Each structure stands twice: as structure tokens, then as C-alpha cells.
Amino acid sequence: MQTPPSSPQLNGYQESLELVRYEGSLLWQIFGAFLLAHTVFLGFALSLALTEDALAQWQLGSFLLGLMGLLLCLPWWSCFRRNSIYYIFRMAQAREKEPVGWDLVAGKGKRLAEGECVQVGGECHQIRGVSRWLRTRRAVPLLIIAFALAYAFVVAASGPWWIK
């Protein structure tokens, strides 16, 4: 028979779960702030660059907005990577502090995250297909790259190489 976790053990586990929740929340708040800012910024840059009389012509304003957008993708990428690492670190800490036999974050929780079929209540739970490969740590960088490519298009469509 297993001994129940002591109060200090349980408190340490609860505190580690609270840190996981905090880091996850912070990660999405930062992502949302950058996404909103970049969506508005890119929309403005594209609207200037894609007008009929401006496409493939030297446009200082569009060109500078595109360059600025490209540069602003760097802090977005950096903040996402940094906060992702903190989140992964906090999850590892929670797994380490989980009382033996609880099987919530460690054990079944970790196996589910890795794509394995996990039995709970006689049912198989599994992350399959694209969702298994395209997890947050891959999907968000792809989105940031998509924004960077759109900014690069604005730069290419409005750069000084179009001066006649």
C-alpha cells in the first residue's frame, strides 16, 4: 500500500502546478499581444504595398514598414522561445514533484503528450495526425515565419530596386 504524500510534498506539487499554469498563461498573453500588433501592422503594410499603382514600385513607406515588421518578428520569436522553455521547465518540475502513483502530469500525462494511446476509464485517449506533429512549439514558430514572409513580400514589392 502506498503512503499518502506528506503535506510539504503536496504543497510543493501544488506550487509547481501553479507555476505551470502561470507560465502557460503568460506564454499565451505574450503571444496574443504580438499576434494582435503584427496583424494590424502587417495589414497596414500590405494595404500600402498592394495598391494597383504601388505594386512593384519604389514605395519608401511600404518598404520601411516591411523592414520594421521583419525586425519586430525577432523579439516575437525570442519571447516565444524563452517563455516556451520556461513552460517546459515548469512541466518537468511538476512531473518531478508529482507524488508517486498519481499519474497525472507524469506517467499518463507525459505519454499522452508524446502521442501514445493512454487508457483512462477503459477508453483510449490519443493525440493523432497533424495535431501530434503540429504542437504549439512548432505551430507558433510557423506562424511567426508566415508573418516574416509576408513582411519580406512587402519589402520585395516596394523596394528601391523598382526605381526606374
Side-chain angles (χ1 to χ4, degrees):
M1 183 170 165
Q2 277 182 331
T3 31
S6 67
S7 191
Q9 279 180 309
L10 188 56
N11 288 344
Y13 180 59
Q14 289 171 333
E15 288 170 12
S16 67
L17 288 178
E18 195 55 43
L19 285 171
V20 168
R21 190 175 299 115
Y22 168 76
E23 294 297 345
S25 176
L26 186 60
L27 180 66
W28 285 111
Q29 287 174 3
I30 290 169
F31 172 74
F34 274 106
L35 180 62
L36 176 63
H38 275 279
T39 300
V40 171
F41 196 76
L42 181 61
F44 186 62
L46 282 170
S47 71
L48 286 178
L50 294 179
T51 60
E52 234 177 84
D53 57 334
L55 191 56
Q57 288 190 14
W58 166 234
Q59 291 284 336
L60 178 62
S62 297
F63 181 73
L64 291 177
L65 283 173
L67 281 178
M68 198 160 125
L70 272 171
L71 290 174
L72 290 174
C73 283
L74 293 174
W76 188 9
W77 181 279
S78 176
C79 286
F80 173 74
R81 290 291 304 140
R82 181 180 174 84
N83 283 87
S84 290
I85 291 166
Y86 267 109
Y87 179 77
I88 291 165
F89 172 72
R90 297 300 184 196
M91 283 296 292
Q93 283 184 316
R95 275 193 225 80
E96 192 175 74
K97 290 198 178 264
E98 184 175 270
V100 176
W102 279 31
D103 218 17
L104 298 171
V105 178
K108 288 183 180 179
K110 188 172 188 322
R111 288 197 322 270
L112 177 70
E114 292 170 350
E116 292 181 33
C117 174
V118 176
Q119 294 286 328
V120 175
E123 275 187 63
C124 172
H125 300 271
Q126 187 174 21
I127 301 170
R128 299 173 194 237
V130 176
S131 299
R132 182 171 174 216
W133 182 83
L134 201 54
R135 46 182 78 183
T136 305
R137 69 178 172 179
R138 290 185 183 121
V140 171
L142 284 175
L143 182 63
I144 295 170
I145 289 168
F147 270 84
L149 289 173
Y151 286 124
F153 170 79
V154 169
V155 168
S158 61
W161 36 85
W162 297 109
I163 297 175
K164 294 178 183 170

